[in-house]
Amino acid sequence: MVKNLVDEIKKLKKEKNAIILAHYYQPPEIQDIADVIGDSYYLSEVARDRKEKVIVICGVRFMAESAKILSPEKIVLMPAPDSGCAMADMACEKEIIKLKEKYKDAYTVCYINTTAKVKSHCDVAVTSSSALSILENVENKQIIFLPDKNLGGYIAEHLPDKKFIFWDGYCKYHNDIKVEDIINLKNEHKDAKVLVHPECTKEVRELGDYIGSTSQIIEFATQSDTNDFIIATEEGILHELSKKNPQKRFFIPGGSICCKDMKKTNLENLYDTLLNMKNEVTLDNEISKSALRCLENMHSLAK
């Protein structure tokens, strides 16, 4: 049945002139059927640059919105339309406007994990892989950073000449990773390197041998001579890590870090979405136009 479903999805993809994009946190079967897998930044580039007219986003809502903003002429579909991001929902439009009024000289920076409406009020979006290079290219000394205070804190540590005003937001899955769980694993696997996502707390980041985005963590582990790794990020990354490094071992602090929203996509709703061209992502034109500048700046300043 699964094989038949996979075959039908591949057939529909050709018929509909569609490309399937999946984040590293998606279920293994979705990663396997995707044309491209990657982190948020890379997927936004692919959605913008590929020739296919239909973009199927296997991820959460803000990723699908970003694809639509960058490619308004394309049809963007989302198999699990109720897949949200709790951190993105922490950013409130009214409070952003108040912050901008209070800090009139500040450059407003949002993590890509934000809604289109929030992006429409920001100067640039960043991802965990691009944030440092982007903000190094920003001349302003005062930065409003939202919504992830952990990622913001990590960036601020590398840019001491800038003053950051942080939003009190976070990814609950990364924020809940416990120091003691990493220490316990380290005691069991003394030669293991600790690879940490910058959405983690400062206390967890301080235990890291390497801090990076999902794609950067995969690259580091793949190029490393070490065989054991403690991975402080969402467990969906293990699928690609294991495919690239079948001889290496990977351990998740606490045994499991699972984003429920990232796991809502499955072969059945992917097939149904393509078959019936349903769950299309649409945005208000004015919001989309304002948010476009924010995303365009993300790509231009990252160079």
Side-chain angles (χ1 to χ4, degrees):
M1 176 62 182
V2 171
K3 184 180 185 302
N4 290 342
L5 206 52
V6 168
D7 290 341
E8 288 301 314
I9 290 170
K10 289 179 178 178
K11 187 189 302 181
L12 281 170
K13 186 180 64 176
K14 291 181 180 179
E15 291 175 3
K16 308 287 187 179
N17 189 23
I19 183 172
I20 299 172
L21 309 182
H23 193 274
Y24 287 122
Y25 296 163
Q26 287 286 292
E29 63 272 19
I30 297 300
Q31 293 189 47
D32 287 341
I33 201 171
D35 297 290
V36 179
I37 57 172
D39 59 15
S40 300
Y41 181 80
Y42 181 59
L43 293 182
S44 71
E45 282 192 316
V46 172
R48 177 195 64 188
D49 296 340
R50 288 290 292 251
K51 66 181 185 305
E52 288 85 355
K53 296 302 180 185
V54 178
I55 310 293
V56 183
I57 298 291
C58 298
V60 293
R61 179 76 187 183
F62 74 80
M63 297 177 183
E65 286 186 348
S66 295
K68 185 63 178 177
I69 292 166
L70 287 165
S71 304
E73 77 287 357
K74 296 178 182 177
I75 296 172
V76 177
L77 305 179
M78 190 178 175
D82 62 336
S83 296
C85 173
M87 175 166 59
D89 293 338
M90 291 178 186
C92 168
E93 182 184 23
K94 289 183 180 179
E95 292 303 315
I96 294 167
I97 293 170
K98 287 181 183 179
L99 265 183
K100 291 181 69 173
E101 289 175 350
K102 183 177 180 180
Y103 301 99
K104 295 186 183 298
D105 295 329
Y107 197 75
T108 307
V109 179
C110 66
Y111 196 14
I112 198 170
N113 300 43
T114 47
T115 64
K117 186 174 287 188
V118 165
K119 288 183 178 74
S120 71
H121 294 283
C122 297
D123 295 303
V124 69
V126 300
T127 66
S128 50
S129 61
S130 67
L132 273 175
S133 60
I134 286 174
L135 287 180
E136 284 173 346
N137 291 325
V138 171
E139 294 182 359
N140 301 59
K141 295 300 183 183
Q142 197 173 60
I143 305 292
I144 295 172
F145 190 92
L146 59 106
D148 186 5
K149 62 183 178 182
N150 291 326
L151 176 62
Y154 171 70
I155 298 165
E157 291 165 10
H158 290 78
L159 300 171
D161 62 319
K162 295 185 187 294
K163 174 180 171 54
F164 282 77
I165 300 100
F166 297 117
W167 194 270
D168 189 21
Y170 53 87
C171 165
K172 62 182 180 179
Y173 302 104
H174 287 101
N175 200 65
D176 286 349
I177 296 174
K178 295 179 173 58
V179 166
E180 53 266 36
D181 287 336
I182 294 177
I183 292 173
N184 289 339
L185 279 174
K186 189 70 174 174
N187 289 334
E188 291 178 36
H189 310 283
K190 299 190 183 300
D191 295 330
K193 287 193 180 297
V194 181
L195 311 186
V196 178
H197 196 284
E199 288 180 23
C200 295
T201 62
K202 180 176 175 61
E203 293 75 19
V204 168
R205 296 198 306 269
E206 287 175 344
L207 296 175
D209 296 293
Y210 178 77
I211 299 172
S213 68
T214 48
S215 59
Q216 290 168 337
I217 286 173
I218 292 168
E219 182 179 6
F220 182 93
T222 301
Q223 294 181 352
S224 174
D225 293 332
T226 302
N227 287 319
D228 289 351
F229 298 89
I230 297 164
I231 306 295
T233 190
E234 211 274 350
E235 62 193 48
I237 196 176
L238 297 182
H239 185 60
E240 185 69 8
L241 279 169
S242 298
K243 282 173 66 176
K244 287 183 176 294
N245 306 278
Q247 78 285 7
K248 297 180 181 181
R249 299 193 299 173
F250 303 99
F251 308 98
I252 295 288
S256 176
I257 304 169
C258 181
C259 174
K260 295 178 181 178
D261 281 278
M262 278 289 188
K263 300 301 186 281
K264 288 180 178 179
T265 314
N266 54 49
L267 292 176
E268 288 76 13
N269 58 31
L270 174 55
Y271 170 75
D272 186 40
T273 294
L274 269 173
L275 177 66
N276 297 300
M277 294 295 288
K278 61 192 292 188
N279 302 324
E280 182 175 356
V281 175
T282 58
L283 295 171
D284 176 87
N285 284 336
E286 291 306 312
I287 290 174
S288 187
K289 287 177 182 177
S290 297
L292 177 60
R293 177 178 60 91
C294 175
L295 289 175
E296 286 180 333
N297 285 342
M298 176 180 75
H299 289 285
S300 63
L301 288 170
K303 295 177 181 177

